[in-house]
Amino acid sequence: AQRVTQPEKLLSVFKGAPVELKCNYSYSGSPELFWYVQYSRQRLQLLLRHISRESIKGFTADLNKGETSFHLKKPFAQEEDSAMYYCALRADRGSTLGRLYFGRGTQLTVWP
Amino acid sequence: GAVVSQHPSWVICKSGTSVKIECRSLDFQATTMFWYRQFPKQSLMLMATSNEGSKATYEQGVEKDKFLINHASLTLSTLTVTSAHPEDSSFYICSASGRAETQYFGPGTRLLVL
């Protein structure tokens, strides 16, 4: 069965420090992986997706199929990065085609 | 960019009444809309998936007679919580996807049942 695991519920770093938010998944097909971010009192919004292989707001994430991971990284965290981050997997087949499976989320706090 | 709106943004109702929440895609046609429920400090739980013009597909454990979903057009889906009870109090979020399949999320509706 498909599953998305974000082991850290809370993560705190100081401004300028590197940050890595972990995400592991299990899925039998070829998943599409996403990172969504939810800033305080705002809606959930797409941060990046693995097929785009792009950097958004300094964040990158590489899909590692061997380790079934999709960790989100940023070399120098900023205070405005403080938010809730959700890793999500989209099914590619069957009756669950298109639906997203979310991890429990990691609350990132960047201290000044 | 793609925008999804929800109305109302918050609602308080008495136990036993029904509440309707609207989800609209403002600048694109949403072939699929999703309804989620989010408990405080927890992740989103998918309740149901709806495709325009067809019946919604409910997740296991979600009562279809309790949470009525209608996706009458490519820009509007509604979730009706029937005979609401205090345990239905939650944050309800919809998302919509069009041809690009990326899901765009609404701002959510906070429901409080007294």
Side-chain angles (χ1 to χ4, degrees):
Chain A
Q2 48 281 332
R3 185 180 180 91
V4 178
T5 304
Q6 292 180 251
E8 304 135 331
K9 196 170 181 179
L10 302 171
L11 183 62
S12 294
V13 299
F14 284 102
K15 176 183 174 181
V19 62
E20 180 179 53
L21 291 84
K22 291 184 168 52
C23 173
N24 289 89
Y25 67 90
S26 63
Y27 184 62
S28 58
S30 295
E32 188 172 358
L33 276 297
F34 302 82
W35 276 99
Y36 281 85
V37 60
Q38 188 172 30
Y39 299 102
S40 179
R41 299 183 182 278
Q42 294 188 28
R43 71 183 69 196
L44 203 66
Q45 55 185 285
L46 177 66
L47 181 62
L48 52 80
R49 54 199 297 182
H50 89 267
I51 61 172
S52 299
R53 301 183 66 83
E54 57 190 347
S55 173
I56 302 293
K57 299 184 179 182
F59 285 98
T60 59
D62 292 317
L63 179 62
N64 186 322
K65 291 187 177 181
E67 296 181 359
T68 59
S69 68
F70 188 56
H71 303 325
L72 183 67
K73 302 177 184 178
K74 184 169 182 175
F76 307 103
Q78 303 299 315
E79 290 178 67
E80 54 266 30
D81 296 329
S82 296
M84 189 71 155
Y85 291 81
Y86 293 97
C87 182
L89 174 155
R90 185 165 73 191
D92 71 332
R93 65 184 61 180
S95 60
T96 57
L97 177 65
R99 67 158 290 180
L100 289 173
Y101 297 87
F102 284 90
R104 67 171 178 174
T106 298
Q107 178 66 49
L108 173 65
T109 301
V110 181
W111 300 104
Chain B
V3 178
V4 176
S5 69
Q6 278 184 245
H7 179 79
S9 55
W10 59 270
V11 57
I12 302 174
C13 69
K14 291 183 179 180
S15 185
T17 60
S18 294
V19 175
K20 180 185 283 188
I21 302 170
E22 291 186 350
C23 177
R24 293 181 184 273
S25 57
L26 299 184
D27 50 4
F28 68 102
Q29 293 186 326
T31 52
T32 307
M33 286 186 168
F34 303 84
W35 287 95
Y36 297 85
R37 186 171 177 176
Q38 186 178 34
F39 293 99
K41 301 192 177 185
Q42 292 189 33
S43 189
L44 287 77
M45 288 178 47
L46 181 65
M47 299 174 64
T49 303
S50 73
N51 292 293
E52 186 264 338
S54 60
K55 290 184 178 180
T57 301
Y58 290 81
E59 294 300 300
Q60 192 172 14
V62 178
E63 299 176 57
K64 58 182 67 177
D65 294 331
K66 173 76 171 176
F67 300 99
L68 299 178
I69 291 172
N70 183 279
H71 191 165
S73 76
L74 285 172
T75 58
L76 173 65
S77 176
T78 60
L79 168 67
T80 301
V81 183
T82 62
S83 186
H85 288 93
E87 58 266 29
D88 299 324
S89 298
S90 192
F91 194 54
Y92 293 88
I93 303 172
C94 76
S95 71
S97 66
R99 291 184 177 182
E101 297 186 330
T102 298
Q103 284 191 34
Y104 297 94
F105 286 80
T109 296
R110 190 162 300 283
L111 170 63
L112 177 60
V113 184
L114 302 177

